[in-house]
Amino acid sequence: MTGAAFDTVAEPGHRTLTYRDALRETMRDALARHPHVIILGQGVDDHKAIFGTTLGLADEFGRERVMDTPIAEEGMTGVAIGAALGGLYPIHTHIRVDFAMLAMNQIVNLMAKYRYMFGGRLTVPMLIRLVIGRGWGQGAQHSQSLQSMLAHVPGLRVVMPAHADVIVAGYPWLVARHDGPVISIEHRLLYDVEFRVGAETAPASPFFSRVARPGKHVTVVATSIMVLDALRAAEHLASTAGIQVEVVDLNCVSHPDAALVTESVVKTGKLLVLDTSWQAYGVCAEVCRLVCERRPDALSAPVVTMGMAPAPCPTGKTLEDRFYPNLRRLVAALARLATGHDDHGIPLPDDASQTDVYRRFRGPF
Amino acid sequence: MTGAAFDTVAEPGHRTLTYRDALRETMRDALARHPHVIILGQGVDDHKAIFGTTLGLADEFGRERVMDTPIAEEGMTGVAIGAALGGLYPIHTHIRVDFAMLAMNQIVNLMAKYRYMFGGRLTVPMLIRLVIGRGWGQGAQHSQSLQSMLAHVPGLRVVMPAHADVIVAGYPWLVARHDGPVISIEHRLLYDVEFRVGAETAPASPFFSRVARPGKHVTVVATSIMVLDALRAAEHLASTAGIQVEVVDLNCVSHPDAALVTESVVKTGKLLVLDTSWQAYGVCAEVCRLVCERRPDALSAPVVTMGMAPAPCPTGKTLEDRFYPNLRRLVAALARLATGHDDHGIPLPDDASQTDVYRRFRGPF
Amino acid sequence: MAIAFASLHERLFYQALRIRLVEQRLVELYPSDAIQSPVHLSVGQEAVAVGACEALAREDLLFGSYRSHAFYLAKGGDLGAMLAELCGKATGSGGGKAGSMHLAAPDVGFMGSSAIVASTIPHAVGAALATQRLGTKRIAVAVFGDGATEEGVYHESLNFAALHRLPVLFLCENNGLAVHSTLAARQAYRITAHAEAYGLPTSACEAGADFDEVHRVVLAAVTAVRRGEGPRLVECRTYRWLEHVGIGEDFDAGYRTRAEFEAWRAHDPLVRETALVARFAPAIRAEIAAAEAFAEASPWPAEDELLTDVA
Amino acid sequence: MAIAFASLHERLFYQALRIRLVEQRLVELYPSDAIQSPVHLSVGQEAVAVGACEALAREDLLFGSYRSHAFYLAKGGDLGAMLAELCGKATGSGGGKAGSMHLAAPDVGFMGSSAIVASTIPHAVGAALATQRLGTKRIAVAVFGDGATEEGVYHESLNFAALHRLPVLFLCENNGLAVHSTLAARQAYRITAHAEAYGLPTSACEAGADFDEVHRVVLAAVTAVRRGEGPRLVECRTYRWLEHVGIGEDFDAGYRTRAEFEAWRAHDPLVRETALVARFAPAIRAEIAAAEAFAEASPWPAEDELLTDVA
Ligand SMILES: Cc1ncc(C[n+]2csc(CCOP(=O)(O)OP(=O)(O)O)c2C)c(N)n1
Ligand SMILES: Cc1ncc(C[n+]2csc(CCOP(=O)(O)OP(=O)(O)O)c2C)c(N)n1
Ligand SMILES: [Mg+2]
Ligand SMILES: [Mg+2]
């Protein structure tokens, strides 16, 4: 990690834990340390426990603090806002970001605006956890990745951690120090992935972007699980062709570090944006804006963007596989971008070798 | 007008009508020609009649076809979708786009996906009319311009007519020929503005972008009422400094004409994007993507973007005036962009409140 | 204000009259464009706010709508801060960012108001949840119009409140109208009977212009809620004298009759009890004049306020 | 299928058994990964679909949820197209884009199914509005679970349907569960009494495994709706045998007991009437095998299908 906002955080030694455990640990600590924290959401207290991220917490802290809710996204988001206004710190979960469309009014018109609209007299400290995902025929209504809708709205802070350290250091900071609403977007396929984090981590703001791997030939700006894809592609290109890909983890998509992105593009001259959603009006577009407003002259080639195909998500496997970027297509695009031509002769990974993380994922969800 | 998709439409002779009357005429004709058209929305049948755009229609066609509704945006959007599936062509109105946040689930998860999700077996031909606006202390919840959230989602077509001819020719085409859902975003301050349209217009698709004014020194890509601002600024710069601004009316923001935009930027080398919403993840970002993916090398200067300040909309007049771009700041930005420096000596128009300008200004365009 | 009240009636009268005179003053001021903001006036509906707030404690948390001048004042919101807010001044209740539709006075438990119909109803429920968790004594109150009950979130809010027996009062100001639509064009249910389906005890006050009566009905409900008996709903019938938004009358618009208005007016204590009006009006007018002067003398927000308190 | 039925009971039995055997076959097939899609099975709930669809005409429009195999088949959806769809094949009911959660068969009035809880309820209301406007005879049916009634849109849908006396039947499959949550954790109301607050006549069928009984209750409601008497609600109590999504049992998960299941099972005609099972199963199994073969032999969607039928 270079230029990481957590440089100050890493202690000597480290430990390995899954993204899921990072979340569970963080949720547990929040409940244990702060009596005014509550977790609410459909199924937070059941045996599936939001992909395991709230497992055991209802038993430990009681169902008044780890509350199952009716199926009523708008209402429960409003309840969470009211609870925050009443002195609690609510953590509200949705097992699919798609369901948050039902709560857009509360999120966009109320939660995002309470502070400003009342001239700073009222604040809404709370965390909404939204799960995104992909694969296994989830289909059009269970596979979206709607971060750009949220990041468009001033008043919201939206993070998409690609690494457990953002959770372990950042989320305690949110609960203890930040008095506004934050949205955490978590990719389902990350839950099983293991990460190394400092043995002890001090709370620190998660509102940053960072270089996840330094390089000099091409810049990839990526979000969430796509950062892992980018790192794999970078590894492949380094070992097979000596191409050094710089991977920027955008992380805080609502407040991306424009200077960091620009600096990288100035260094490499070549940019590929890799996002979990559609390109149009998404992170792909926003990163282009950041560069266009600063140093478009630094670009020595057209920007390449990759995301979901411009369609709803189909369920059939053959279509679904084409719907998402895969490692082979990513490496191909990077090789073309880095070398400037198609006949670069760089070996591409098998279509079959695409992300074992995805391979390991098995329904039912 | 150059490169206009309606070139074929204009008949010899023309007439002048307001944006409001263009809508009312179109709504009336749709009801008169197509028995399966219904209009539904809060207040469509009252004396205010959606800013006059449905005036008299309930009396003429009956309240079963021009239906007032309960205050239930999610439900009524679902009802409209079901009515479309059942054989009607519903036109659903919201007097503020902000209220459509309550219907995002139906719009994003259902309406946008019905066709694809069922492999083309079901279609949802319908029109949603959303009003955007500005000024007079409407505040944080009545002044948003949320087109990018909608345009991000495959399955939706979103138009933001800056000229009455798009309505007069395009909306009859939608009702008669298009079998998918379309969203019309109408700026409230346009209703009173007069436009010149062909005396007779043939129905034609409104899914296009066009050059509203040709020029060669700078390109402005604008949406909705901002096109009028851009034309005013272009006029000012042409007459005071001989700077020829090319104004591109993006019009169909979900399916913008990337080639047209790129061609203009290749010609001028300089781009300013002027939108009714926030820049981040908005039209400003998307237009940057279109250029970055094609010809970033054509840019001889950083792109300038203008939209709402990155905050919820304040109500007090002094703050509100700063919240929106105005003609003076637009001209200043264009002069700087065109000349490459700040001390260009080009006279700027007064810093009048843009809202006041619109209240006085009437067209025709 | 060192005014001596001989009775509760007099004290409530004073408050209702104060709200009436404030809003009538807004009507006078509006054409000057000092207030460049939409106003949804409560003229005719003041008694609901006054009667209800009398039944509440200062620390009880109340959530309102865009039509909240009356509740803001009745709950104890500062008049000067309100007028300054309407004029977009830095001393306004929201620092000039709120306008008429987003008044707030958290120090007296007026927890904000929203221009999205029904949207603060679940906030009151959430505040009641916080009360329950934190073990405090206060209750929460959701104030909303008849039209707001049509929104899905109302159903969700009633259900959750009833399910957890939360200390929240649902207070419906039923003026029979949503903008220009009558109840018959919008609702297949009766508001009290509907709420009872969720197990909420309800009560109705037909005489919504009678603040004594409103106070009696609301107090009974508030007492039960505060005792921990779970949520309740009170419906007050009332009448909006002026147009939905703005300062005019609109009896000629076709959606209602002047006769209806006259009937309500005939029972309005603020119209009938002229002696009390004569006694109280001068002091109130003086207070309003001072508040106006304060608003006028107040500075505009600094330019950099545009980007403060965003996130 | 030239099978002779001696009675309505037999015919309904056959259909219910067919659905049961189809889903039990899916349970067998699932580990092979031929179906790479979540499945929400209706095992235990088939009788509701069969009894209800028997009361409907082919042209009546029915809207379902992610748990719709039973209603898709009962309404007359093609079995081969369903299995092909589950396998992501081009011949599937949605051309391989729909999966288990989005079955549709518009030709027989099965108007699609959605994975967003409650989201098609207003579609049925809208379809009923279309029927009313176009003067056709058909009615619309919204099928949804008990959990769906918690969503705000349910309130909005009941109100609008009742207000305009639309020809729509609200049919609630109450299996007492939303994922792993019991009714007591979610609802402060009773579903029938709540609907009555909107003026909807309601009826309940406690024996939701008994298709004859379901048919009787639904037919009475459908007849009234078709006669133009306005919307109605029918609640059928039923029981989900398997886990919420997927093919396993989960009585050890802690949210329900096996005893509950056994009680339902003991009353299930498909379990009790073994002679009918023996008589009908072979023909059904043959049909399933043919459908499976069809699905397996079907081609994958062409690559360019990815971007067709978008907008
Ligand atoms: C979600 C939403 N939909 C529509 C509107 C437009 N609108 C403003 S006030 C109003 C009527 C509300 O009626 P009611 O709740 O009875 O309150 P009243 O105005 O009568 O006090 C409507 C429909 C809105 N502000 N918010
Ligand atoms: C809007 C929404 N919220 C949450 C979910 C997750 N979810 C899927 S099924 C379900 C339970 C629905 O229960 P019910 O309506 O009773 O139907 P059942 O599954 O019992 O048939 C939930 C909460 C969803 N799909 N959509
Ligand atoms: Mg009202
Ligand atoms: Mg259920």
mmCIF file of all heavy atoms in Angstrom, chain B residues 42 71 73 95 99 102 142, chain C residues 40 45 65-67 115-117 144-149 151 173 175 177-179 186 240 244, ligand 1:
data_model
loop_
_atom_site.group_PDB
_atom_site.id
_atom_site.type_symbol
_atom_site.label_atom_id
_atom_site.label_comp_id
_atom_site.label_asym_id
_atom_site.label_seq_id
_atom_site.Cartn_x
_atom_site.Cartn_y
_atom_site.Cartn_z
ATOM 1 N N GLN B 42 -51.285 13.535 -9.012
ATOM 2 C CA GLN B 42 -51.917 14.402 -8.020
ATOM 3 C C GLN B 42 -52.227 15.761 -8.647
ATOM 4 O O GLN B 42 -51.333 16.440 -9.125
ATOM 5 C CB GLN B 42 -50.990 14.605 -6.822
ATOM 6 C CG GLN B 42 -50.719 13.326 -6.030
ATOM 7 C CD GLN B 42 -49.466 13.437 -5.191
ATOM 8 O OE1 GLN B 42 -49.083 14.526 -4.774
ATOM 9 N NE2 GLN B 42 -48.815 12.311 -4.950
ATOM 10 N N ILE B 71 -52.041 10.486 -2.492
ATOM 11 C CA ILE B 71 -50.616 10.822 -2.368
ATOM 12 C C ILE B 71 -49.888 9.522 -2.052
ATOM 13 O O ILE B 71 -49.768 9.124 -0.899
ATOM 14 C CB ILE B 71 -50.394 11.856 -1.253
ATOM 15 C CG1 ILE B 71 -51.402 13.007 -1.396
ATOM 16 C CG2 ILE B 71 -48.975 12.413 -1.313
ATOM 17 C CD1 ILE B 71 -51.378 13.973 -0.224
ATOM 18 N N GLU B 73 -46.886 7.788 -4.203
ATOM 19 C CA GLU B 73 -46.087 7.756 -5.424
ATOM 20 C C GLU B 73 -45.659 6.352 -5.837
ATOM 21 O O GLU B 73 -45.726 5.996 -7.013
ATOM 22 C CB GLU B 73 -44.851 8.649 -5.263
ATOM 23 C CG GLU B 73 -45.145 10.152 -5.295
ATOM 24 C CD GLU B 73 -45.763 10.720 -4.038
ATOM 25 O OE1 GLU B 73 -45.847 9.983 -3.030
ATOM 26 O OE2 GLU B 73 -46.171 11.893 -4.038
ATOM 27 N N ILE B 95 -45.352 16.757 -9.709
ATOM 28 C CA ILE B 95 -45.022 18.175 -9.846
ATOM 29 C C ILE B 95 -43.633 18.517 -9.314
ATOM 30 O O ILE B 95 -43.180 19.649 -9.460
ATOM 31 C CB ILE B 95 -46.082 19.114 -9.225
ATOM 32 C CG1 ILE B 95 -46.290 18.788 -7.751
ATOM 33 C CG2 ILE B 95 -47.389 19.056 -9.994
ATOM 34 C CD1 ILE B 95 -46.974 19.920 -7.006
ATOM 35 N N PHE B 99 -40.375 14.097 -5.517
ATOM 36 C CA PHE B 99 -41.386 13.141 -5.048
ATOM 37 C C PHE B 99 -41.190 11.774 -5.707
ATOM 38 O O PHE B 99 -41.631 10.755 -5.179
ATOM 39 C CB PHE B 99 -42.805 13.656 -5.328
ATOM 40 C CG PHE B 99 -43.074 15.043 -4.812
ATOM 41 C CD1 PHE B 99 -44.113 15.811 -5.334
ATOM 42 C CD2 PHE B 99 -42.296 15.601 -3.800
ATOM 43 C CE1 PHE B 99 -44.367 17.088 -4.869
ATOM 44 C CE2 PHE B 99 -42.539 16.887 -3.325
ATOM 45 C CZ PHE B 99 -43.575 17.638 -3.865
ATOM 46 N N LEU B 102 -39.848 8.602 -4.001
ATOM 47 C CA LEU B 102 -40.727 7.623 -3.375
ATOM 48 C C LEU B 102 -41.104 6.499 -4.323
ATOM 49 O O LEU B 102 -41.607 5.462 -3.901
ATOM 50 C CB LEU B 102 -42.001 8.318 -2.872
ATOM 51 C CG LEU B 102 -41.809 9.061 -1.556
ATOM 52 C CD1 LEU B 102 -42.777 10.210 -1.423
ATOM 53 C CD2 LEU B 102 -41.975 8.096 -0.392
ATOM 54 N N HIS B 142 -37.312 20.508 -2.857
ATOM 55 C CA HIS B 142 -38.185 20.862 -3.979
ATOM 56 C C HIS B 142 -37.391 21.446 -5.141
ATOM 57 O O HIS B 142 -37.961 22.109 -6.003
ATOM 58 C CB HIS B 142 -39.242 21.883 -3.537
ATOM 59 C CG HIS B 142 -40.462 21.268 -2.897
ATOM 60 N ND1 HIS B 142 -40.384 20.379 -1.859
ATOM 61 C CD2 HIS B 142 -41.788 21.403 -3.152
ATOM 62 C CE1 HIS B 142 -41.613 20.023 -1.493
ATOM 63 N NE2 HIS B 142 -42.479 20.623 -2.259
ATOM 64 N N HIS C 40 -46.990 27.896 3.517
ATOM 65 C CA HIS C 40 -48.203 27.093 3.686
ATOM 66 C C HIS C 40 -48.789 27.511 5.030
ATOM 67 O O HIS C 40 -48.297 27.081 6.080
ATOM 68 C CB HIS C 40 -47.866 25.608 3.703
ATOM 69 C CG HIS C 40 -47.224 25.096 2.438
ATOM 70 N ND1 HIS C 40 -45.927 25.363 2.100
ATOM 71 C CD2 HIS C 40 -47.726 24.334 1.435
ATOM 72 C CE1 HIS C 40 -45.640 24.778 0.941
ATOM 73 N NE2 HIS C 40 -46.708 24.153 0.508
ATOM 74 N N GLN C 45 -56.279 26.804 11.459
ATOM 75 C CA GLN C 45 -55.882 25.537 12.075
ATOM 76 C C GLN C 45 -55.072 25.711 13.372
ATOM 77 O O GLN C 45 -54.597 24.737 13.940
ATOM 78 C CB GLN C 45 -55.054 24.702 11.075
ATOM 79 C CG GLN C 45 -55.741 24.474 9.750
ATOM 80 C CD GLN C 45 -55.038 23.492 8.810
ATOM 81 O OE1 GLN C 45 -55.422 23.373 7.661
ATOM 82 N NE2 GLN C 45 -54.021 22.793 9.267
ATOM 83 N N SER C 65 -44.627 19.136 9.361
ATOM 84 C CA SER C 65 -44.608 19.194 7.902
ATOM 85 C C SER C 65 -44.274 20.608 7.441
ATOM 86 O O SER C 65 -43.992 21.493 8.241
ATOM 87 C CB SER C 65 -45.972 18.797 7.345
ATOM 88 O OG SER C 65 -46.889 19.869 7.546
ATOM 89 N N TYR C 66 -44.321 20.806 6.132
ATOM 90 C CA TYR C 66 -44.162 22.131 5.530
ATOM 91 C C TYR C 66 -45.170 23.156 6.091
ATOM 92 O O TYR C 66 -44.964 24.344 5.968
ATOM 93 C CB TYR C 66 -44.357 22.011 4.009
ATOM 94 C CG TYR C 66 -45.616 21.230 3.742
ATOM 95 C CD1 TYR C 66 -46.850 21.848 3.652
ATOM 96 C CD2 TYR C 66 -45.570 19.840 3.692
ATOM 97 C CE1 TYR C 66 -48.007 21.116 3.524
ATOM 98 C CE2 TYR C 66 -46.726 19.096 3.551
ATOM 99 C CZ TYR C 66 -47.940 19.735 3.466
ATOM 100 O OH TYR C 66 -49.076 19.010 3.358
ATOM 101 N N ARG C 67 -46.291 22.689 6.645
ATOM 102 C CA ARG C 67 -47.288 23.627 7.208
ATOM 103 C C ARG C 67 -47.093 23.652 8.721
ATOM 104 O O ARG C 67 -47.885 23.101 9.466
ATOM 105 C CB ARG C 67 -48.703 23.161 6.834
ATOM 106 C CG ARG C 67 -49.791 24.215 7.092
ATOM 107 C CD ARG C 67 -51.208 23.699 6.813
ATOM 108 N NE ARG C 67 -51.365 23.141 5.488
ATOM 109 C CZ ARG C 67 -51.414 23.854 4.366
ATOM 110 N NH1 ARG C 67 -51.353 25.165 4.428
ATOM 111 N NH2 ARG C 67 -51.526 23.258 3.197
ATOM 112 N N ALA C 115 -40.854 18.989 3.641
ATOM 113 C CA ALA C 115 -41.756 19.330 2.541
ATOM 114 C C ALA C 115 -42.176 18.108 1.741
ATOM 115 O O ALA C 115 -42.857 18.225 0.736
ATOM 116 C CB ALA C 115 -41.080 20.351 1.620
ATOM 117 N N ILE C 116 -41.743 16.944 2.166
ATOM 118 C CA ILE C 116 -42.182 15.691 1.551
ATOM 119 C C ILE C 116 -43.291 15.133 2.428
ATOM 120 O O ILE C 116 -43.062 14.820 3.596
ATOM 121 C CB ILE C 116 -41.021 14.677 1.460
ATOM 122 C CG1 ILE C 116 -39.801 15.271 0.742
ATOM 123 C CG2 ILE C 116 -41.482 13.390 0.822
ATOM 124 C CD1 ILE C 116 -40.010 15.544 -0.728
ATOM 125 N N VAL C 117 -44.475 15.043 1.854
ATOM 126 C CA VAL C 117 -45.642 14.629 2.629
ATOM 127 C C VAL C 117 -45.354 13.317 3.368
ATOM 128 O O VAL C 117 -44.833 12.367 2.777
ATOM 129 C CB VAL C 117 -46.869 14.461 1.704
ATOM 130 C CG1 VAL C 117 -48.012 13.764 2.438
ATOM 131 C CG2 VAL C 117 -47.344 15.821 1.205
ATOM 132 N N PHE C 144 -49.243 15.423 11.160
ATOM 133 C CA PHE C 144 -49.374 15.259 9.711
ATOM 134 C C PHE C 144 -50.805 15.542 9.289
ATOM 135 O O PHE C 144 -51.725 15.548 10.120
ATOM 136 C CB PHE C 144 -48.976 13.829 9.307
ATOM 137 C CG PHE C 144 -49.660 12.759 10.114
ATOM 138 C CD1 PHE C 144 -50.875 12.249 9.708
ATOM 139 C CD2 PHE C 144 -49.100 12.307 11.307
ATOM 140 C CE1 PHE C 144 -51.525 11.285 10.466
ATOM 141 C CE2 PHE C 144 -49.751 11.339 12.076
ATOM 142 C CZ PHE C 144 -50.965 10.825 11.651
ATOM 143 N N GLY C 145 -50.992 15.764 8.014
ATOM 144 C CA GLY C 145 -52.321 16.044 7.478
ATOM 145 C C GLY C 145 -53.056 14.780 7.089
ATOM 146 O O GLY C 145 -52.495 13.682 7.110
ATOM 147 N N ASP C 146 -54.306 14.945 6.709
ATOM 148 C CA ASP C 146 -55.101 13.798 6.266
ATOM 149 C C ASP C 146 -54.465 13.148 5.036
ATOM 150 O O ASP C 146 -54.430 11.929 4.906
ATOM 151 C CB ASP C 146 -56.529 14.244 5.943
ATOM 152 C CG ASP C 146 -56.575 15.495 5.080
ATOM 153 O OD1 ASP C 146 -56.059 16.552 5.520
ATOM 154 O OD2 ASP C 146 -57.097 15.431 3.952
ATOM 155 N N GLY C 147 -53.940 13.959 4.147
ATOM 156 C CA GLY C 147 -53.351 13.417 2.921
ATOM 157 C C GLY C 147 -52.157 12.523 3.209
ATOM 158 O O GLY C 147 -51.918 11.532 2.504
ATOM 159 N N ALA C 148 -51.423 12.849 4.240
ATOM 160 C CA ALA C 148 -50.220 12.081 4.565
ATOM 161 C C ALA C 148 -50.540 10.635 4.896
ATOM 162 O O ALA C 148 -49.696 9.751 4.736
ATOM 163 C CB ALA C 148 -49.486 12.738 5.737
ATOM 164 N N THR C 149 -51.756 10.392 5.359
ATOM 165 C CA THR C 149 -52.104 9.010 5.724
ATOM 166 C C THR C 149 -52.193 8.106 4.498
ATOM 167 O O THR C 149 -52.285 6.888 4.626
ATOM 168 C CB THR C 149 -53.453 8.936 6.478
ATOM 169 O OG1 THR C 149 -54.520 9.296 5.582
ATOM 170 C CG2 THR C 149 -53.464 9.877 7.669
ATOM 171 N N GLU C 151 -49.853 7.850 2.207
ATOM 172 C CA GLU C 151 -48.518 7.361 1.858
ATOM 173 C C GLU C 151 -48.236 6.027 2.547
ATOM 174 O O GLU C 151 -48.583 5.836 3.718
ATOM 175 C CB GLU C 151 -47.446 8.373 2.301
ATOM 176 C CG GLU C 151 -47.405 9.645 1.474
ATOM 177 C CD GLU C 151 -46.714 9.456 0.115
ATOM 178 O OE1 GLU C 151 -46.333 8.327 -0.251
ATOM 179 O OE2 GLU C 151 -46.564 10.477 -0.596
ATOM 180 N N GLU C 173 -53.937 16.283 11.562
ATOM 181 C CA GLU C 173 -54.718 17.505 11.310
ATOM 182 C C GLU C 173 -55.528 17.280 10.049
ATOM 183 O O GLU C 173 -55.021 17.460 8.936
ATOM 184 C CB GLU C 173 -53.791 18.680 11.031
ATOM 185 C CG GLU C 173 -53.007 19.191 12.188
ATOM 186 C CD GLU C 173 -52.292 20.486 11.784
ATOM 187 O OE1 GLU C 173 -51.246 20.396 11.109
ATOM 188 O OE2 GLU C 173 -52.774 21.570 12.133
ATOM 189 N N ASN C 175 -57.824 18.495 7.614
ATOM 190 C CA ASN C 175 -58.534 19.667 7.090
ATOM 191 C C ASN C 175 -59.341 19.303 5.851
ATOM 192 O O ASN C 175 -59.812 20.168 5.116
ATOM 193 C CB ASN C 175 -57.558 20.828 6.808
ATOM 194 C CG ASN C 175 -56.506 20.451 5.787
ATOM 195 O OD1 ASN C 175 -56.633 19.435 5.104
ATOM 196 N ND2 ASN C 175 -55.474 21.265 5.653
ATOM 197 N N LEU C 177 -58.550 18.307 3.075
ATOM 198 C CA LEU C 177 -57.980 18.635 1.769
ATOM 199 C C LEU C 177 -56.517 18.230 1.678
ATOM 200 O O LEU C 177 -55.776 18.337 2.658
ATOM 201 C CB LEU C 177 -58.060 20.151 1.530
ATOM 202 C CG LEU C 177 -59.457 20.746 1.378
ATOM 203 C CD1 LEU C 177 -59.377 22.265 1.403
ATOM 204 C CD2 LEU C 177 -60.102 20.263 0.075
ATOM 205 N N ALA C 178 -56.140 17.801 0.497
ATOM 206 C CA ALA C 178 -54.731 17.686 0.151
ATOM 207 C C ALA C 178 -54.589 18.538 -1.106
ATOM 208 O O ALA C 178 -55.104 18.183 -2.161
ATOM 209 C CB ALA C 178 -54.332 16.244 -0.121
ATOM 210 N N VAL C 179 -53.948 19.665 -0.945
ATOM 211 C CA VAL C 179 -53.911 20.674 -2.001
ATOM 212 C C VAL C 179 -55.358 20.985 -2.392
ATOM 213 O O VAL C 179 -56.064 21.612 -1.597
ATOM 214 C CB VAL C 179 -53.025 20.257 -3.191
ATOM 215 C CG1 VAL C 179 -52.768 21.457 -4.113
ATOM 216 C CG2 VAL C 179 -51.659 19.712 -2.705
ATOM 217 N N ARG C 186 -59.706 10.583 -2.416
ATOM 218 C CA ARG C 186 -58.410 10.013 -2.057
ATOM 219 C C ARG C 186 -58.445 8.830 -1.117
ATOM 220 O O ARG C 186 -57.554 8.005 -1.114
ATOM 221 C CB ARG C 186 -57.538 11.109 -1.411
ATOM 222 C CG ARG C 186 -57.193 12.259 -2.312
ATOM 223 C CD ARG C 186 -56.367 13.297 -1.588
ATOM 224 N NE ARG C 186 -57.176 14.166 -0.755
ATOM 225 C CZ ARG C 186 -57.072 14.302 0.562
ATOM 226 N NH1 ARG C 186 -56.162 13.601 1.224
ATOM 227 N NH2 ARG C 186 -57.856 15.122 1.231
ATOM 228 N N ARG C 240 -58.681 24.790 6.675
ATOM 229 C CA ARG C 240 -57.672 25.719 6.154
ATOM 230 C C ARG C 240 -58.387 26.889 5.492
ATOM 231 O O ARG C 240 -59.135 26.678 4.546
ATOM 232 C CB ARG C 240 -56.827 24.952 5.114
ATOM 233 C CG ARG C 240 -55.571 25.624 4.659
ATOM 234 C CD ARG C 240 -54.962 24.816 3.501
ATOM 235 N NE ARG C 240 -55.620 25.149 2.248
ATOM 236 C CZ ARG C 240 -55.828 24.317 1.240
ATOM 237 N NH1 ARG C 240 -55.443 23.071 1.311
ATOM 238 N NH2 ARG C 240 -56.437 24.733 0.138
ATOM 239 N N HIS C 244 -53.812 26.511 -0.511
ATOM 240 C CA HIS C 244 -52.865 25.494 -0.038
ATOM 241 C C HIS C 244 -51.493 26.095 0.245
ATOM 242 O O HIS C 244 -50.909 25.874 1.303
ATOM 243 C CB HIS C 244 -52.734 24.381 -1.081
ATOM 244 C CG HIS C 244 -51.587 23.458 -0.821
ATOM 245 N ND1 HIS C 244 -51.577 22.581 0.234
ATOM 246 C CD2 HIS C 244 -50.400 23.284 -1.464
ATOM 247 C CE1 HIS C 244 -50.438 21.902 0.241
ATOM 248 N NE2 HIS C 244 -49.699 22.306 -0.777
HETATM 249 C C1 LIG E 1 -44.377 12.941 -1.314
HETATM 250 C C2 LIG E 1 -45.077 14.187 -1.738
HETATM 251 N N1 LIG E 1 -46.023 14.105 -2.676
HETATM 252 C C3 LIG E 1 -46.680 15.201 -3.062
HETATM 253 C C4 LIG E 1 -46.392 16.418 -2.518
HETATM 254 C C5 LIG E 1 -47.151 17.666 -2.966
HETATM 255 N N2 LIG E 1 -47.997 18.095 -1.850
HETATM 256 C C6 LIG E 1 -47.620 19.093 -1.042
HETATM 257 S S1 LIG E 1 -48.716 19.322 0.205
HETATM 258 C C7 LIG E 1 -49.724 18.106 -0.368
HETATM 259 C C8 LIG E 1 -51.019 17.807 0.329
HETATM 260 C C9 LIG E 1 -50.867 17.182 1.648
HETATM 261 O O1 LIG E 1 -52.099 17.109 2.270
HETATM 262 P P1 LIG E 1 -52.235 16.926 3.808
HETATM 263 O O2 LIG E 1 -51.317 15.853 4.269
HETATM 264 O O3 LIG E 1 -53.667 16.737 4.116
HETATM 265 O O4 LIG E 1 -51.692 18.264 4.465
HETATM 266 P P2 LIG E 1 -52.268 19.763 4.351
HETATM 267 O O5 LIG E 1 -51.549 20.430 3.248
HETATM 268 O O6 LIG E 1 -53.730 19.669 4.139
HETATM 269 O O7 LIG E 1 -51.913 20.398 5.652
HETATM 270 C C10 LIG E 1 -49.200 17.540 -1.507
HETATM 271 C C11 LIG E 1 -49.832 16.463 -2.259
HETATM 272 C C12 LIG E 1 -45.376 16.463 -1.559
HETATM 273 N N3 LIG E 1 -45.003 17.621 -0.985
HETATM 274 N N4 LIG E 1 -44.751 15.340 -1.173
#
